[in-house]
């Protein structure tokens, strides 16, 4: 059994003299004496000959100039690479070729003459590489593949293996133990005329040569290391696929991938050869190996595209729609199957997608068959593109299908079609810029999910509710933002439960098993986390936790906070803490501290970013006080209303925390700082609603003495009514720094005077929003809205990470 190997080098690997030297070195070091080397035309030689042919067809005198320039390029390669004696021999051949080509260009340019002219590029490459190898002491011989490749002209000429194999065998016997350099791309027909095997036919030539001589392997060398998850020239983070199943590789080549060309793998199926793809510029960079056995796969591995696509649209006679299947069978028999198609079941119309190189041949065949298959109309539609996912099972991978459809929904989509074997999902679009779409799809499909760890402080009323919300939304978060989310630790006043493998969100609240911890040991442990990002979620009112925000920032941990203490710390401490997060590329989000899920801080941040400047902020920032003063009309004592609210859980456990106004004061301070005002809490004048005599009492004692509030509140209500006004507890700040929190009397028809029970209202005046401020109103406290605000901050981080 032969142990031959085949190496194929494309035009990009033979672009200049340095490339030829590199290829010669690869042949010497990576091949054996009996191996074959298949070559393409150097650089853009084939394209230049096509241009010359077009000029000659147009009787343009520039054809002769173009040919002279091409011969000069080839002569330059010879002179740079070879010593004088072998160089002189090849230059004489080039001059003879020049004369022959000039004569052909002056005659009739029928298809066989055109093929003859196109064959020179491969012949020049084979001749030159052969001479270079011999010059370097590596014995070789070159063969014109027309001596053994037999094929008849057609849109997709097929090598006749039965005729070709013995011809090649006889030629190889003449040169035993010698490397053979073979021209790719060209064959001869039964009359000895030149037939080209299609654009990029050299890859097909290589695997066909390997099949004919029973070679062990074929290595296709190009300017890339193999097949990537996307074109690496477009997508920087495209990854090299070290292994690809034969059926997946065949589907990729069928669609029209630029690295693995159509028909390349046809000979592989009927031979024992292995196929690999490598980079001639960096031979040790890596490679893609094509495996015969089906590899385990659950979806797409590659995003690929075709820039130029043409649609052939067929209409059939009434009740003859089934003829579409027959047409497809005939096209397949002629090796003209479409890249993808759309068969409209209702009308029977058939749309077939082809590259421009094949469409003329396809239309010619369809016109021949028009009467036979009762085709009433054949139309050619230009200016389409294709984007496709390739990989075993892609059409059955619901997540990938969802992302594919979602990202194409806003594109000028014509149709999407899945191949019969579920190896590809192809979308045909009106011609668009494909690069941004490919980048976006690749990022969604193949970018490894960001591993996100959560360390949660607090599992009380709000904390428990948020964890339940997170458990429900986790899957959609992970899918939408390409993240892998883990609850790494849960802490409360009883202790810590930590597991970097992830705590079970569905059971942790019921099975919480806290252990005591020491802060420094906890920080050292968290520093060793295995995640891409670690997020601390503080759902406490603990000063101890907020005091560690700086330590979190220094370690690159992000913080989502419902805790107001750090945000309302003395200004210099607050500013230094904000800078610490910036210095360590960490985020500190605290939208849950003011207004619950109302987008107050984000609105201010948006105005700042857009170049606006906030001039004033005002509103009612306490749901408890909002409710109390909406109800307080003198018919029921204020103390009774307060006790009823306390019993319903609408106040803090100690109602004095609401009545003191300190919470409102902190919220106003935080909003002012968000607006860029350098303010300390002591600069905000505060009116507390708690008499001095009640400050030092226990909660129970205070509740027993609530009646002491009534005289003060009744007097304030009476004073307001005398002027036809109502009482409200309002926070205000101006850009000049004047700030107050306390009782105000308002006109009954003012916005602040008419709120729904427990509503917050925020009015933001700015350069753009005056004299009418931006008003944000709604429930601003409670476990649902606060949990929602925490979740919104987490979503915001997920967007940034993905």
């Amino acid at each position: 059994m032969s142990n031959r190997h085949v190496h194929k080098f494309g035009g990009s690997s033979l672009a200049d003299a340095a490339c030829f030297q590199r290829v010669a070195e690869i042949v010497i070091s990576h091949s054996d004496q009996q191996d074959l080397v298949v070559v393409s035309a150097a650089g853009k030689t084939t394209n230049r000959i096509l241009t010359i042919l077009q000029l000659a067809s147009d009787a343009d005198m520039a054809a002769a100039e173009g040919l002279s320039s091409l011969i000069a390029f080839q002569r330059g390669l010879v002179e740079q690479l070879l010593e004088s004696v072998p160089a002189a021999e090849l230059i004489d051949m080039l001059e003879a070729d020049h004369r022959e080509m000039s004569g052909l260009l002056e005659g009739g340019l029928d298809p066989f003459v055109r093929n003859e002219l196109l064959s020179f590029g491969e012949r020049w490459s084979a001749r030159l590489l052969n001479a270079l190898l011999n010059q370097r002491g590596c014995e070789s011989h070159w063969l014109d593949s027309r001596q053994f490749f037999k094929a008849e002209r057609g849109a997709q000429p097929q090598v006749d293996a039965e005729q070709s194999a013995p011809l090649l065998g006889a030629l190889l016997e003449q040169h035993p133990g010698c490397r053979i350099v073979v021209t790719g791309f060209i064959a001869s027909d039964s009359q000895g005329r030149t037939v080209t095997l299609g654009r990029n036919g050299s890859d097909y030539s290589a695997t066909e040569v390997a099949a004919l001589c029973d070679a062990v392997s074929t290595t296709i060398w190009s300017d890339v290391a193999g097949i990537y998850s996307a074109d690496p020239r477009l997508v920087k983070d495209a990854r090299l696929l070290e292994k690809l199943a034969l059926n997946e590789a065949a589907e990729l080549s069928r669609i029209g991938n630029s690295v693995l060309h159509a028909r390349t793998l046809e000979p592989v199926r009927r031979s024992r050869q292995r196929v690999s793809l490598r980079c001639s510029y960096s031979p040790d960079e890596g490679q893609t190996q094509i495996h015969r056995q089906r590899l385990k796969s659950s979806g797409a591995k590659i995003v690929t595209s075709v820039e130029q696509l043409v649609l052939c649209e067929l209409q059939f006679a009434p009740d003859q729609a089934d003829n579409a299947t027959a047409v497809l069978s005939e096209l397949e028999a002629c090796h003209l199957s479409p890249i993808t198609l759309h068969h409209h079941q209702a009308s029977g119309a058939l749309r077939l997608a082809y590259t421009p190189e094949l469409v003329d041949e396809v239309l010619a065949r369809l016109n021949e068959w028009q009467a036979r298959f009762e085709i009433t109309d054949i139309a050619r539609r230009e200016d389409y593109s294709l984007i496709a996912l390739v990989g075993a099972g892609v059409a059955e991978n619901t997540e990938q299908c969802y992302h594919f459809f979602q990202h194409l929904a806003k594109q000028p989509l014509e149709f999407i079609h899945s191949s019969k074997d579920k190896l590809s999902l192809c979308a045909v679009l009106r011609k668009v810029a494909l690069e941004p779409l490919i980048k976006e799809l690749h990022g969604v499909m193949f970018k490894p999910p960001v591993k996100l760890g959560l360390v949660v402080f607090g599992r009380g009323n709000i904390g428990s509710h948020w964890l339940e919300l997170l458990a429900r939304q986790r899957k959609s978060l992970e899918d939408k933002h390409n993240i892998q989310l883990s609850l790494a630790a849960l802490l409360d006043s009883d202790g810590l439960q930590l597991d970097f493998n992830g705590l079970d969100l569905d059971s942790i609240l019921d099975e919480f098993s806290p252990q005591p911890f020491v802060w420094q040991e906890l920080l050292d442990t968290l520093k060793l986390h295995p995640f891409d990002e670690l997020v601390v979620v503080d759902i406490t009112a603990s000063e101890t936790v907020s005091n560690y925000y700086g330590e979190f920032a220094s370690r690159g941990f992000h913080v989502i906070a419902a805790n107001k203490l750090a945000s309302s710390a003395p200004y210099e401490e607050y500013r230094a803490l904000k800078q610490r997060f910036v210095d360590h590329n960490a985020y500190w989000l605290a939208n849950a501290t003011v207004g619950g899920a109302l987008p107050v801080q984000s609105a201010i941040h948006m105005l700042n970013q857009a170049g606006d400047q906030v001039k004033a902020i005002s509103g009612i920032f306490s749901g408890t006080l909002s409710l109390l003063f909406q109800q307080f009309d003198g018919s029921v004592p204020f103390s009774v209303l307060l006790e009823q609210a306390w019993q319903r859980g609408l106040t803090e456990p100690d109602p004095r925390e609401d009545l003191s106004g300190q919470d409102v004061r902190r919220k106003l301070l935080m909003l002012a700082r968000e607006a860029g005002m350098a303010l300390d809490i002591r600069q905000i004048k505060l009116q507390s609603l708690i008499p001095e005599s009640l400050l030092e009492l226990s909660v129970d004692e205070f509740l027993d003495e609530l009646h002491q509030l009534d005289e003060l509140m009744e007097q304030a209500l009476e004073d307001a009514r005398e002027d036809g006004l109502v009482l409200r507890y309002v926070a205000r700040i101006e850009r000049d720094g004047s700030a107050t929190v306390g009782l105000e009397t308002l006109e009954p028809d003012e916005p602040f005077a008419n709120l729904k029970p427990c509503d917050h209202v925020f009015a933001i005046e700015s350069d753009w929003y005056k004299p009418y401020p931006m008003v944000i109103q709604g429930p601003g406290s409670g476990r649902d809205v606060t949990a929602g605000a925490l979740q919104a901050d987490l979503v915001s981080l997920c967007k940034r990470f993905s």
Side-chain angles (χ1 to χ4, degrees), residues 539-553:
I539 319 174
T540 74
S542 168
E543 186 175 3
T544 301
V545 178
S546 67
N547 284 341
Y548 277 98
Y549 282 11
E551 295 290 336
F552 297 151

Side-chain angles (χ1 to χ4, degrees), residues 2 4-5 32-37 130 134 138-144 147-148 166-182 213:
S2 167
R4 292 184 188 277
H5 299 267
D32 297 322
Q33 286 184 343
Q34 72 274 19
D35 290 352
L36 287 83
V37 179
N130 174 65
N134 281 297
C138 178
E139 185 182 358
S140 74
H141 179 77
W142 82 276
L143 283 178
D144 185 331
Q147 293 177 261
F148 60 88
L167 293 173
L168 176 59
L171 290 167
L172 294 179
E173 286 178 2
Q174 297 174 23
H175 305 282
C178 174
R179 290 175 177 84
I180 307 294
V181 181
V182 183
C213 69

Side-chain angles (χ1 to χ4, degrees), residues 125-345:
S125 289
R127 233 162 42 188
L128 179 53
L129 181 60
N130 174 65
L132 180 59
L133 288 171
N134 281 297
Q135 178 175 283
R136 295 185 56 167
C138 178
E139 185 182 358
S140 74
H141 179 77
W142 82 276
L143 283 178
D144 185 331
S145 58
R146 294 177 297 178
Q147 293 177 261
F148 60 88
F149 268 161
K150 291 299 176 181
E152 298 303 318
R153 178 177 169 268
Q156 302 253 50
Q158 300 293 305
V159 170
D160 186 326
E162 189 173 344
Q163 287 191 62
S164 302
L167 293 173
L168 176 59
L171 290 167
L172 294 179
E173 286 178 2
Q174 297 174 23
H175 305 282
C178 174
R179 290 175 177 84
I180 307 294
V181 181
V182 183
T183 59
F185 180 58
I186 53 177
S188 62
D189 67 6
S190 56
Q191 299 180 48
R193 297 172 297 186
T194 299
V195 173
T196 57
L197 299 177
R199 295 301 302 271
N200 303 307
S202 292
D203 284 358
Y204 168 50
S205 299
T207 54
E208 189 64 76
V209 164
L212 295 179
C213 69
D214 193 28
V216 176
S217 73
T218 299
T219 303
I220 299 174
W221 298 83
S222 68
D223 57 354
V224 293
I227 297 172
Y228 286 76
S229 53
D231 187 338
R233 295 167 297 182
L234 302 180
V235 182
K236 291 183 179 179
D237 59 351
R239 64 180 185 274
L240 179 67
L241 302 176
E242 295 181 354
K243 296 179 180 180
L244 197 65
L246 179 58
N247 61 340
E248 294 174 320
E251 181 68 6
L252 184 66
S253 67
R254 187 190 69 79
I255 289 173
N257 181 269
S258 61
V259 177
L260 193 63
H261 301 295
R263 299 195 299 151
T264 300
L265 298 177
E266 289 177 12
V268 178
R269 297 183 186 279
R270 54 181 168 81
S271 64
R272 64 169 178 148
Q273 63 181 295
R274 304 185 306 271
V275 175
S276 60
L277 296 94
R278 302 179 68 174
C279 179
S280 62
Y281 290 82
S282 305
D284 300 321
E285 182 180 330
Q287 62 181 305
T288 297
Q289 295 180 326
I290 309 299
H291 287 251
R292 291 180 177 280
Q293 69 272 27
R294 293 177 183 269
L295 303 174
K296 289 184 178 179
S297 179
S298 59
K301 293 180 179 177
I302 303 156
V303 178
T304 190
S305 63
V306 177
E307 195 76 36
Q308 295 281 350
L309 203 67
V310 181
L311 291 184
C312 299
E313 298 185 356
L314 311 183
Q315 298 285 343
F316 295 88
D319 302 322
Q320 300 300 319
D322 289 345
N323 282 349
T325 303
V327 168
L328 292 172
S329 297
E330 288 288 337
L331 288 169
E332 184 178 3
C334 298
H335 304 284
L336 292 172
S337 293
I339 293 175
T340 189
L341 60 90
H342 178 246
H343 188 192
H344 194 278
Q345 294 300 319

